[in-house]
Amino acid sequence: MCPQSPDIIVIGSGIGGLCTSALLARYGKRVIVCESHTIPGGAAHSFRRRGFEFDSGPSFYCGLTGTQSLNPLKQVLDSLGESIQVIPYDPLGHYHFPEGDFPVYSNAERYRQEIAKITPQGAKELQQFERRLLGLYEAMKDIPTLALRADWQVILVLLQRYLPSLAKMLPYLTLVQSSVGDVMDATVKDPWVRRLIDLECFLLSGLKAQGTITPEVAFMLGERSRAGVEYPVGGSAAIVNALVRGLERWGGKLRLGCHVEQILVESGKVTGVRLRNGEILSAPIVISNATMWDTYNQLLRPEDLPTAYRQTALQTPAVESFMHLHLGIRAEGLDNLTGHHVVVHDSSEDISKPGNTCMISIPSVWDKNLAPEGHHVVHAYTLEPFAGWVRDDGYEAKKREKAESLYRAVEKIIPDIRGRVVLELIGTPLTHAHYLRRYQGTYGPAIPAGKGMFPSTHTPIQGLYRVGDSTMPGIGVPAVAASGILCANSLVSLSQMAELFK
Ligand SMILES: Cc1cc2nc3c(=O)[nH]c(=O)nc-3n(C[C@H](O)[C@H](O)[C@H](O)COP(=O)(O)OP(=O)(O)OC[C@H]3O[C@@H](n4cnc5c(N)ncnc54)[C@H](O)[C@@H]3O)c2cc1C
């Protein structure tokens, strides 16, 4: 039971907001999470229609179990005393190019063997590329995210506990700042493998190799090879539910359908929030899990922030939004179906062109309970710009036309898909922006490597912090969990952190 007057208010129950709030509750803080939607989880929320359980976003996870996981989300769950069940699987997916399909294995050696069947020289070059990245991963992996914080005291932690690991990092310091494109240019000439690397970066960050930072891909390659990939039993909702259980177990409170209209600031200090229903909640600390554009444009008055700071933040470019196709389908005869697919329609077009690269996830192949008996649940999505979408007379026709590239992608895996559909939901950037409460339905900031860094959790307003995918370290479930850890740890003493870490 959380008292009326909390220490901390968290705006939003995305994975970033839930990790922050649950950890702070674990540290003994009185925390209230205000979530606008009636379902928690933000981009990772699931929803049910006619017995089908749909993931609205992520479905690709690794390191959710095991005793030595490097996934920051798992480290948060461990601190809360929570766990989830998972189903491991391999290959982690199939890539479908116009010139052919191939399986992608978690294990790096097996992955290279598949590539060698297409381009033996390219497979050798890929090995050089991976060696560079895995060296960085090996150096990074001894410093658990749970031990870090986002202020100067992190230096004390690193010097006291992780000096040997820091020494291991030294040869890789230039790599930490560099783009994956730089590493690729130095190691890979084969055009097919270069496109593959671009694709993997794009799937991870929304940007191709030149725009993606090296540590992100080093971590992804290292972790998927070391820990393998797995899907949570019950879908993404299982992760969200575990975090909510953890939050509540440690005394925190989640209020759903609780839209924050304004962050209240007096004399440069946060004093609380005003809800849409007019209610005022007071607290000396407010943490926003809304995007930077929503936080700075919608939740604060312009005069609350220094003009130049506000302008720079609001000018941050955003990755496009999405078209979604959620299907419930009849499953008869689909015995060898696998769960993850990426379809590139046209090799002569850029992979980041909206509609050209489509991601497909069929999680009921791992967890049958996500669909009624004899059925599967399918989620296909592709990038789509927000601009130009309006709910006018042409909306339904445009929606159907834009869903075509998704249907054609699913046809590569299930040729007679259209005849199997028993439930169809098409989402546009307007749907995405509405249900996720995200500025222009964006995937997150498009901050290319070398052109800037994701902002820290701190803001110029005393008592106001931010977490989630428009803060350090960036987009993706592990990254936003890390942002929650960095924020929560920065709000407690080193001794409290050490106590938890034990
Ligand atoms: C289609 C898709 C597929 C993806 N696939 C993967 C994947 O396979 N693996 C992976 O690791 N990552 C994946 N991602 C990325 C990952 O899901 C996100 O980066 C992450 O979940 C974002 O979490 P967050 O906490 O930053 O923000 P969000 O999830 O956006 O949460 C913010 C929350 O704040 C709430 N909110 C906003 N404004 C207010 C307000 N004024 N008052 C109250 N509440 C408010 C929102 O309702 C929302 O619940 C995917 C994303 C998408 C969209």
Side-chain angles (χ1 to χ4, degrees), residues 169-492:
M169 292 275 295
L170 282 178
Y172 296 97
L173 280 187
T174 49
L175 215 54
V176 171
Q177 295 292 334
S178 71
S179 82
V180 178
D182 296 338
V183 183
M184 179 170 83
D185 287 346
T187 48
V188 182
K189 300 277 170 289
D190 184 283
W192 193 87
V193 171
R194 288 177 69 87
R195 191 182 52 166
L196 185 68
I197 293 171
D198 266 336
L199 179 64
E200 297 231 297
C201 289
F202 173 65
L203 297 176
L204 196 64
S205 70
L207 300 172
K208 292 192 292 182
Q210 285 301 342
T212 303
I213 54 166
T214 304
E216 196 176 351
V217 175
F219 197 79
M220 182 271 286
L221 286 178
E223 270 302 89
R224 87 179 182 196
S225 191
R226 189 189 67 86
V229 289
E230 50 201 16
Y231 186 77
V233 174
S236 296
I239 295 175
V240 175
N241 292 343
L243 288 172
V244 172
R245 272 198 314 272
L247 168 75
E248 291 174 345
R249 171 201 286 219
W250 293 97
K253 188 173 175 190
L254 169 64
R255 285 179 63 174
L256 296 171
C258 179
H259 185 88
V260 172
E261 195 95 330
Q262 197 189 335
I263 298 169
L264 303 173
V265 180
E266 273 172 35
S267 312
K269 280 189 200 163
V270 148
T271 60
V273 300
R274 182 163 44 79
L275 306 181
R276 182 169 278 166
N277 66 8
E279 190 184 344
I280 300 226
L281 297 178
S282 300
I285 292 177
V286 172
I287 300 169
S288 175
N289 181 207
T291 69
M292 74 167 94
W293 303 279
D294 292 295
T295 305
Y296 292 154
N297 221 2
Q298 308 292 336
L299 295 177
L300 289 168
R301 299 167 305 180
E303 61 269 32
D304 291 331
L305 283 167
T307 310
Y309 178 92
R310 181 172 184 274
Q311 264 173 8
T312 309
L314 293 180
Q315 280 165 5
T316 307
V319 181
E320 314 279 27
S321 185
F322 295 93
M323 282 301 298
H324 294 268
L325 180 62
H326 292 284
L327 299 175
I329 62 163
R330 285 183 289 103
E332 74 268 6
L334 298 176
D335 301 333
N336 297 320
L337 203 58
T338 55
H340 272 143
H341 301 266
V342 177
V343 175
V344 177
H345 284 304
D346 186 344
S347 296
S348 63
E349 294 279 10
D350 198 293
I351 51 163
S352 59
K353 185 182 165 198
N356 194 27
T357 301
C358 300
M359 283 61 73
I360 299 162
S361 143
I362 313 170
S364 46
V365 304
W366 304 303
D367 181 355
K368 292 207 172 345
N369 293 329
L370 298 177
E373 204 179 335
H375 292 78
H376 277 305
V377 63
V378 180
H379 178 203
Y381 54 95
T382 186
L383 279 193
E384 170 66 16
F386 182 82
W389 280 93
V390 267
R391 285 187 200 277
D392 58 9
D393 290 349
Y395 181 70
E396 286 304 321
K398 181 172 176 184
K399 192 163 129 172
R400 191 139 282 290
E401 179 203 322
K402 290 286 179 178
E404 256 317 289
S405 70
L406 294 171
Y407 262 117
R408 283 195 292 113
V410 184
E411 274 173 341
K412 302 249 180 204
I413 295 110
I414 309 169
D416 59 349
I417 181 71
R418 295 177 203 245
R420 292 176 175 271
V421 174
V422 297
L423 175 63
E424 178 200 74
L425 303 167
I426 301 174
T428 70
L430 295 182
T431 326
H432 193 97
H434 173 73
Y435 283 107
L436 272 54
R437 314 315 195 235
R438 288 179 71 91
Y439 163 79
Q440 298 194 343
T442 176
Y443 182 56
I447 303 175
K451 300 265 164 53
M453 284 168 69
F454 277 72
S456 92
T457 188
H458 300 275
T459 75
I461 298 171
Q462 198 180 323
L464 178 64
Y465 298 83
R466 292 194 312 108
V467 293
D469 57 17
S470 48
T471 63
M472 194 75 154
I475 303 172
V477 169
V480 302
S483 81
I485 292 174
L486 293 176
C487 178
N489 283 352
S490 306
L491 294 173
V492 298

